Amino acid sequence: MRHSERHRADRIGWLRAAVLGANDGIVSTASLVVGVAASGASQASLLVTGVAGLVAGAMSMAAGEYVSVHSQADTEKADLARERSELEKDPAAEHRELAAIYVARGLEPDLARQVAEQLMTRDSLGAHARDELGISVALSARPIQAALASAASFAVGAALPLVVTALASTHGVIPWVSGTALIFLAGLGAVAARVGGAGVLMGAWRVTFWGALAMAITAGVGALFGAIG
C-alpha cells in the first residue's frame, strides 16, 4: 500500500498570484491613501482615490498576470511542439538524449537506457517534457487562473485599508491606515508562508518590512508636495 503524502507544488501557480495580488492591494492602496492624506486632502478625496486605485489596480494585476503567464504558456507550447517534431524525426537520438540525462542524475548507463526506453514506450513526449524541459502538469502555466487569483486578491487586499479610511477620523487616517496595513501585511505573510510550507515569522517579517518602506516613502512624497502646494 502506498503511504499518503502531502505536497505543495501544485499550489505554486495560484498561491504566487494570490499573495502578489493581496500584498500589492494592501501596500499600494494604503500607500496611496497615506500619501494623499499627507498632502492635506479631505476624507472624501481619500476614499475616491482609494476606490479608483482598487479598480485600476485589480484590472492592471489581472491583465499583467494574464499576459505574463500566457507568455510562459506560449513558450511551453512551443518547446513541446519542437520536442514532438524531434521525436518524430529521430526517436533514437531522443532516446540517447533522455538516457544521458538519467546517467547525469546517477543511473548506470545500461539502467538509464532501459528507463528511457520504457518511459518513451509509454509516453515519449511526457518523459521529455518532464526530464528534459522541466515542464510538468503541477507547474504548468495557467494564465486565467493566475489572472483571476491576482485580481480577486488585489481587490480584497485593497478593500482593507479603504474600510479603515472610511472609519477613521480625518486626523487619524495616517496612523490608523499605516498601523492596520502593517498588521494586514504581517497576517498575509504568515498565512502565505504557512500555506507554502515556509517559516511563518520570516514570511511575515519580509512582507511587513517592504510594506512599511513603501508607505514611508509615499507619505514623504505626499507631505513634500503638500508643502509645496
Side-chain angles (χ1 to χ4, degrees):
M1 295 181 62
R2 295 181 58 185
H3 65 283
S4 60
E5 292 182 339
R6 184 179 180 183
H7 298 288
R8 297 178 170 87
D10 58 344
R11 306 176 182 177
I12 290 177
W14 65 263
L15 180 60
R16 181 197 61 81
V19 171
L20 175 63
N23 179 79
D24 201 16
I26 297 172
V27 173
S28 62
T29 305
S31 299
L32 190 62
V33 169
V34 169
V36 175
S39 69
S42 65
Q43 189 173 28
S45 297
L46 296 180
L47 290 174
V48 171
T49 301
V51 171
L54 184 155
V55 175
M59 295 301 99
S60 177
M61 291 294 293
E65 282 290 334
Y66 183 81
V67 170
S68 63
V69 178
H70 209 294
S71 297
Q72 177 186 342
D74 291 341
T75 302
E76 291 177 354
K77 290 179 181 178
D79 281 343
L80 290 174
R82 180 178 179 180
E83 195 64 32
R84 186 181 293 108
S85 176
E86 292 175 349
L87 284 167
E88 293 174 355
K89 292 178 180 178
D90 195 350
E94 291 300 307
H95 175 269
R96 291 193 297 271
E97 184 178 31
L98 193 61
I101 292 173
Y102 297 144
V103 169
R105 293 181 181 177
L107 294 184
E108 294 294 331
D110 289 340
L111 179 58
R113 285 191 290 269
Q114 293 177 26
V115 171
E117 181 179 356
Q118 291 186 25
L119 290 178
M120 289 183 65
T121 299
R122 181 175 181 179
D123 183 7
S124 295
L125 184 60
H128 282 269
R130 288 189 308 272
D131 296 321
E132 181 183 350
L133 304 177
I135 299 174
S136 66
V137 175
L139 302 180
S140 61
R142 296 180 176 86
I144 295 179
Q145 180 193 68
L148 293 177
S150 185
S153 59
F154 182 96
V156 172
L160 296 176
L162 276 180
V163 171
V164 176
T165 302
L167 297 177
S169 62
T170 303
H171 299 292
V173 166
I174 293 179
W176 271 104
V177 171
S178 301
T180 54
L182 293 179
I183 295 174
F184 296 147
L185 288 171
L188 171 65
V191 170
R194 178 68 176 176
V195 174
V200 173
L201 291 178
M202 182 57 67
W205 161 248
R206 62 178 173 235
V207 174
T208 306
F209 172 77
W210 289 109
L213 182 62
M215 286 187 289
I217 293 174
T218 310
V221 173
L224 177 62
F225 277 89
I228 294 175

